[in-house]
Amino acid sequence: MAAIERPVFVFDGDCAFCSSCARFIERRIRPAADVVAWQFADLAGLGLSEEQVSSAVYYVAPGRVTAGPAAIADLLKRAGVVWRAAGAVLGLRPITATAWPVYRWVARNRHRMPGGTAACALPPDHPARAA
């Protein structure tokens, strides 16, 4: 993994629901991290694969790579006081473990979410569908 200067939050830019969430993050949460669609990210430099980032959001910081709810928690911890508190709670192991099934359900059904489109749907044979 290449040395990065600032944490990066990686999402699926082909998904309208994911892109709407990313815009919300940038406008309202304003974390001390770059929010980047994986289609425009240097995945190899971040130590990520296309298979990984097409299944979940990722947070990459020096010495730390997290996915799904843990990535969201890490991102929130790099924002304002209220968001940091939310990130601290979400980052607690029992909360993160409970959040994973919800996260997977949302990821599988993101094409049905507000702002989602058919282009957001995961193909039937995608590894995230089995998760």
Side-chain angles (χ1 to χ4, degrees):
M1 179 167 70
I4 59 171
E5 295 179 21
R6 185 172 151 96
V8 179
F9 184 77
V10 183
F11 71 97
D12 185 354
D14 280 341
C15 173
F17 173 71
C18 302
S19 295
S20 294
C21 292
R23 283 192 303 276
F24 177 85
I25 289 167
E26 291 177 317
R27 290 182 186 151
R28 302 282 187 219
I29 298 175
R30 291 182 259 167
D34 294 327
V35 179
V36 180
W38 71 259
Q39 292 84 352
F40 300 106
D42 175 9
L43 295 181
L46 294 172
L48 299 172
S49 70
E50 188 173 324
E51 183 178 350
Q52 288 174 299
V53 296
S54 65
S55 299
V57 295
Y58 273 80
Y59 178 86
V60 181
R64 185 163 179 83
V65 177
T66 53
I72 295 167
D74 286 342
L75 177 78
L76 292 174
K77 291 175 190 176
R78 305 259 320 157
V81 175
V82 173
W83 295 113
R84 276 197 303 268
V89 171
L90 180 57
L92 297 171
R93 281 191 197 267
I95 305 297
T96 303
T98 303
W100 264 110
V102 174
Y103 181 87
R104 286 185 187 109
W105 183 87
V106 170
R108 282 192 307 271
N109 293 284
R110 60 191 180 176
H111 61 287
R112 295 184 177 110
M113 300 293 160
T117 65
C120 300
L122 295 174
D125 61 343
H126 193 280
R129 284 221 171 266

